[in-house]
Amino acid sequence: MSDNKYIIEVNNLEKSYGDTLVLKDISFSVSEGEVLSIIGSSGSGKSTLLRAINQLESIEGGEVIICGDTLCNNNNLILSNEEKRKIQLHNGLVFQDFNLFPHMSILQNITEALIYVLKKDKKEAKEIALSLLDKMGLKDRAAAYPSQLSGGQKQRVSIARALALKPNVLWFDEPTSALDPELTGEILKVIKDLAKEKMTMVVVTHEMAFAKEISDRVIFMDDGIIAEEGTPEEVFDNPKNPRTKQFLQRF
Amino acid sequence: MTHLLIPMLEGTLVSVKIFFFTLLFALPLGLLIAKAKQSRFWVVRKLINTYIMIMRGTPLILQLIFVYFAPYYIFSTSFDRLNAAIIAYVINYGAYFAEIYRGGIQSIDKGQYEAGKVLGFTKAHTFFHVIFPQVIKEIIPAMGNEVITLVKDTALAQTIGVAEVFRVAKTASAREFSTTPLFIAGVFYFIMNAVVSKVFDRMEKKLSYYD
C-alpha cells in the first residue's frame, strides 16, 4: 500500500441479483484517516455496497482495491480463499445486529480471531481484548455472555472485536438501527472517539445529524448509484441533486 | 436364577454393543450426510435425497434383512450377523441424524457465518468453532428422542439371528414357560433409557450457560 494514497479505491463497481442491477457504476475512494458516511433510503444499495466490498456479496464488475490489494478487477482476477481472507483482514466490519458468537464469552468473542487468525498466543490475545474492552467501558463484563448484555453493550463488544484485528478501515452497517433510541448515543460516542483517533471509517447510517457531525465526506446513494458526493456542508446544506433534497426533507 | 441371568447379561452386552457402535459411526455419518445434502453439486444432493428417502421410507427390519442377505446372493458371502446388524443401524440412523443436523444447521443465523468470514476465519473454523457448537445445543432434544428409539430398536436385530437381550429373553421364556425373562428384558431397556435420558439432560443443562 506504499504507493497508494487511498485505503479503499472502487471503480465502476457493478452488482446484480439475477437481472436486476442493484449497484451501477459505483466509484469512490477513501483516504487514510477519513470518515465517510453513506446515506440513502432503504433499498438504495448502501448496505449492499458495504457488503460487496467486505466479500459478503458477489461483485459482477468493476474494480475494488483495498490497501493496494486488488479484490476484484472486472472479474478477470481469480483469488484463492487464502488471498481473499488476507484482503478481508484490511477491513473490519460492524454489523447492524452485532452477530456476536452467543456460545462464547465476551472475552472469547474478541480473542478467537486474535488466536486463530493472527496466531497470537492466548496471553497476548487476552491482554489486547481486555484493553479494548476497557476502552469500551466493558472490562468488567469480559466473562459475561452476549445474551447478558444490552444492545448497546453488544454493539460495543462487536466494535472491540473488529478493532482487535487492527483493520486499516472500519466499516459500520447501520450500527444503531437495531438499538433502542436511548442506546444509540453510546455507540455514536464510540464512533466519534474513533474518529478523533483518526481511524479510517465508512459508516452506512440513517442518523443524519450524526453523519453531518462526524463525516469528512458524505455519499448519498439512490437506486444503486452515487447520486451525490461531497462534504457534509455540501450534501446536507446545499444539495444539488433533487433526489438528495427530497430525501433530506424527511429528516 | 443364574442360568437365566447369565445368558441375559450376555444378550444385554450384545444390545449395548449394537447401541454404542451405531452411535459411534452414525453420529459422524449423519453430519457428513447433512453437509453433503447442502452440496453445490446437483448429483450429490440427488443421491443423498434418494438415500434418505429409502432409509426413512422403508422398515428398519427390512433393511436389516437386506444388509444381511443381499451380499450373500450377490457375492456369495455375508457379514457376520452382529456386523450386518450394526451396518444396517448405522446407515438407517445416519439418515435420521442427518435430518436432525440439517434442521440444527439451518436454524443458525447466517450472520454467524458472515461474522466468521469478516474476522478472517476459514470455512472449517467457522463451522467447527462457531456453527457446530450452537447446532449441538439446538438439536439435543431431537437427538435425545432418536437415541432413546435406538435403544429399543436394537431388539430388531433378532430378525437376522443376533442374540441380543430380547431374543435371549424370548427363547428363555419359551423354554421355561414363564414371562419373567421378558419382564427382565423390559427392565433392561427401561434402565438403559433412564441412563440415556440422564445423559441428555446433563448435556442440555451444561449447554444452557447461554441463550
Side-chain angles (χ1 to χ4, degrees), chain A residues 20-250:
Chain A
T20 324
L21 213 52
V22 291
L23 294 176
K24 305 160 202 163
D25 197 23
I26 300 278
S27 300
F28 70 98
S29 55
V30 184
S31 314
E32 190 158 1
E34 190 179 29
V35 178
L36 171 71
S37 289
I38 304 179
I39 59 170
S41 48
S42 303
S44 61
K46 55 191 193 313
S47 279
T48 309
L49 173 61
L50 168 148
R51 291 171 56 80
I53 296 169
N54 280 277
Q55 303 183 38
L56 298 174
E57 304 278 351
S58 64
I59 294 172
E60 271 71 55
E63 187 182 45
V64 176
I65 302 165
I66 303 171
C67 295
D69 291 332
T70 305
L71 172 65
C72 91
N73 175 358
N74 284 309
N75 277 358
N76 300 323
L77 187 71
I78 302 200
L79 296 170
S80 69
N81 287 340
E82 194 54 46
E83 288 168 316
K84 285 186 196 159
R85 266 204 306 284
K86 237 187 95 202
I87 294 175
Q88 181 51 34
L89 286 175
H90 295 311
N91 291 332
L93 173 58
V94 175
F95 294 91
Q96 180 177 339
D97 39 13
F98 333 124
N99 291 334
L100 294 178
F101 305 130
H103 59 301
M104 295 183 191
S105 70
I106 299 308
L107 187 74
Q108 259 184 298
N109 261 279
I110 302 171
T111 56
E112 186 78 1
L114 287 170
I115 294 167
Y116 290 99
V117 180
L118 297 191
K119 311 286 179 205
K120 306 256 185 216
D121 66 58
K122 283 187 178 157
K123 192 167 158 276
E124 195 189 351
K126 194 177 166 185
E127 278 164 15
I128 295 171
L130 285 176
S131 84
L132 278 165
L133 283 174
D134 196 19
K135 192 172 162 187
M136 297 290 153
L138 289 168
K139 201 175 182 182
D140 56 330
R141 305 312 310 272
Y145 284 87
S147 61
Q148 299 167 305
L149 267 52
S150 73
Q153 290 175 324
K154 280 185 213 172
Q155 193 58 299
R156 279 185 277 156
V157 173
S158 94
I159 293 171
R161 182 173 72 173
L163 285 173
L165 300 180
K166 291 208 187 325
N168 299 93
V169 52
L170 193 53
W171 299 77
F172 291 87
D173 187 6
E174 300 185 21
T176 58
S177 293
L179 301 176
D180 292 334
E182 68 265 30
L183 296 177
T184 57
E186 54 180 281
I187 298 308
L188 300 183
K189 184 180 175 302
V190 170
I191 301 175
K192 247 183 259 176
D193 290 346
L194 288 170
K196 271 185 218 144
E197 294 170 22
K198 288 286 156 210
M199 180 81 209
T200 311
M201 292 186 282
V202 181
V203 187
V204 169
T205 184
H206 286 299
E207 301 273 344
M208 293 306 140
F210 174 70
K212 191 174 170 182
E213 186 187 338
I214 62 148
S215 311
D216 298 308
R217 217 146 40 83
V218 178
I219 283 177
F220 169 67
M221 284 189 68
D222 184 52
D223 200 23
I225 58 160
I226 294 180
E228 186 142 2
E229 183 180 352
T231 64
E233 292 74 27
E234 285 166 351
V235 175
F236 287 105
D237 302 335
N238 208 354
K240 292 182 192 68
N241 191 315
R243 286 290 297 125
T244 321
K245 280 180 199 162
Q246 203 186 351
F247 173 76
L248 289 170
Q249 261 162 20
R250 284 188 275 140

